[in-house]
Amino acid sequence: MVNNQRGLDLVFGALADPTRRAILHRLHGRGPATVTELADLFPVSLPAVSKHLKVLERAGLVRRRVEGRVHRLTLRAGPLEDVADWVSHYRRFWSERMVALEHELVGKRTKRGTRR
C-alpha cells in the first residue's frame, strides 16, 4: 500500500504512460505473465518493456518472481486502492460543489419566476 506522498507520486507517474497502463490491464485481465509475453504485446524492444516494468515495480504495482531465467510478473492492486481513495476524496468534494451549484441555480430560477 502507498502510505506517503512519494509513493502516491510514483504510482501516478507509473500510470501516466499508456504502455504501462496496458501492461497493468493485461495482468489484471489474464493474470501473471512473463516479461517476454508482455513484450510481445507492444511494438517496442524487450529492454524498453523492461524499463516500463521497473517503473511499475518501483511504484509497487507489479511483483516480479524469478524462476530460473524466467521472470514472472503479477499485478499488485494495493497502490491502485490508495489512488482510488485519494480520488474519491476529490470526487466527494466535486459532488458537494455540484449539489451546492444546483441549489443555487434552482434558487435563482425560483426568484426569477416570482418576479414575473
Side-chain angles (χ1 to χ4, degrees):
M1 292 287 239
V2 177
N3 52 13
N4 60 38
Q5 188 62 42
R6 170 97 172 112
L8 197 56
D9 290 346
L10 289 171
V11 173
F12 276 117
L15 295 174
D17 184 87
T19 300
R20 293 191 287 266
R21 290 192 308 270
I23 290 169
L24 294 176
H25 183 75
R26 161 51 184 86
L27 293 173
H28 176 262
R30 295 185 46 208
T34 65
V35 174
T36 304
E37 290 169 338
L38 293 171
D40 287 344
L41 300 173
F42 305 100
V44 296
S45 67
L46 184 61
V49 171
S50 290
K51 286 181 182 181
H52 283 298
L53 292 171
K54 286 179 183 172
V55 171
L56 292 169
E57 285 180 277
R58 195 172 23 244
L61 292 165
V62 298
R63 182 176 68 97
R64 183 186 303 250
R65 191 175 73 234
V66 180
E67 303 163 348
R69 293 177 56 176
V70 177
H71 292 226
R72 189 168 303 282
L73 294 128
T74 307
L75 175 67
R76 294 186 65 237
L80 293 174
E81 291 175 35
D82 293 333
V83 168
D85 290 345
W86 186 86
V87 169
S88 73
H89 169 76
Y90 292 96
R91 184 180 335 197
R92 282 190 305 272
F93 169 78
W94 283 111
S95 292
E96 291 168 4
R97 297 291 299 163
M98 293 304 287
V99 168
L101 179 61
E102 184 178 342
H103 287 154
E104 184 179 326
L105 292 174
V106 168
K108 285 182 180 180
R109 278 192 224 124
T110 303
K111 286 179 184 177
R112 273 193 229 132
T114 56
R115 289 184 193 162
R116 292 183 180 176

